[in-house]
Amino acid sequence: MSTLRLKGQETTLSVISPAGLEQGIGEAVKSLTVEVKMDIMSEGYLGQTTEQKDDLFKGIGGSITIHMTNADFLAFTDGVIARSQRRTSAADRYSINTTLAYPDGTRSRCIIPDIFFGSPKMEVGSREDYVECSFDFEASEMRNLFNL
């Protein structure tokens, strides 16, 4: 018997604005990548035959790609630029929430608070292509909630 696996259609994603509202990515999310950033430290010592290892947590990173359906992404980009230029309060915080609904009926939620953005991008590939927007993000932490 095969094991049921989680598919993209069983996930929801939202970017939460400083006002606590869903912000600027629409419903046509093409992909989400989340990376737990880790470094492996290695040090060799006299009298030992192999190096000793340790790991170091370096935060969270990722990217989101959407197909543009309205002007919300442009408004979102304006807010991100305003924060980066300190035209709004530095206390303005964005977060990413994604809910995973597993085939067995259980759910979990990943919350990435206080995210910072790389360069938002908009690509118009050709006449036949959807307008694609993407941005990279980084944060200091991610919280996971299980069995919702």
Side-chain angles (χ1 to χ4, degrees), residues 35-88:
E35 175 187 10
V36 177
K37 295 183 173 192
M38 305 283 293
D39 275 350
I40 297 173
M41 299 167 51
S42 185
E43 188 68 45
Y45 295 100
L46 295 175
Q48 295 184 358
T49 59
T50 187
E51 291 188 347
Q52 293 190 15
K53 309 290 184 199
D54 205 347
D55 49 18
L56 183 63
F57 176 70
K58 303 280 283 195
I60 303 296
S63 63
I64 295 176
T65 301
I66 67 165
H67 284 155
M68 188 177 248
T69 58
N70 55 39
D72 287 352
F73 183 78
L74 298 176
F76 163 75
T77 300
D78 283 348
V80 169
I81 291 169
R83 182 180 72 170
S84 70
Q85 293 176 332
R86 303 295 191 253
R87 290 186 287 135
T88 62

Side-chain angles (χ1 to χ4, degrees), residues 17-18 79-94 113-117:
S17 74
V80 169
I81 291 169
R83 182 180 72 170
S84 70
Q85 293 176 332
R86 303 295 191 253
R87 290 186 287 135
T88 62
S89 169
D92 282 359
R93 297 173 193 258
Y94 292 86
D114 199 15
I115 59 175
F116 293 88
F117 299 97

Side-chain angles (χ1 to χ4, degrees), residues 13-14 22-29 66-67 69-70 72-73:
L13 172 71
S14 58
E22 194 166 328
Q23 175 79 43
I25 62 167
E27 294 182 12
V29 178
I66 67 165
H67 284 155
T69 58
N70 55 39
D72 287 352
F73 183 78

Side-chain angles (χ1 to χ4, degrees), residues 2 4-6 9 19 32 44-45 76 78 103 105 108 111 114 122 135 138:
S2 67
L4 295 175
R5 293 164 295 224
L6 186 65
Q9 68 186 17
L32 165 68
Y45 295 100
F76 163 75
D78 283 348
S108 61
I111 302 167
D114 199 15
M122 181 172 66
F135 57 89
E138 291 191 12

Side-chain angles (χ1 to χ4, degrees), residues 4-13 27 29-31 98-103:
L4 295 175
R5 293 164 295 224
L6 186 65
K7 292 185 270 185
Q9 68 186 17
E10 287 117 14
T11 66
T12 58
L13 172 71
E27 294 182 12
V29 178
K30 184 176 176 186
S31 67
T98 187
T99 301
L100 308 171
Y102 300 99

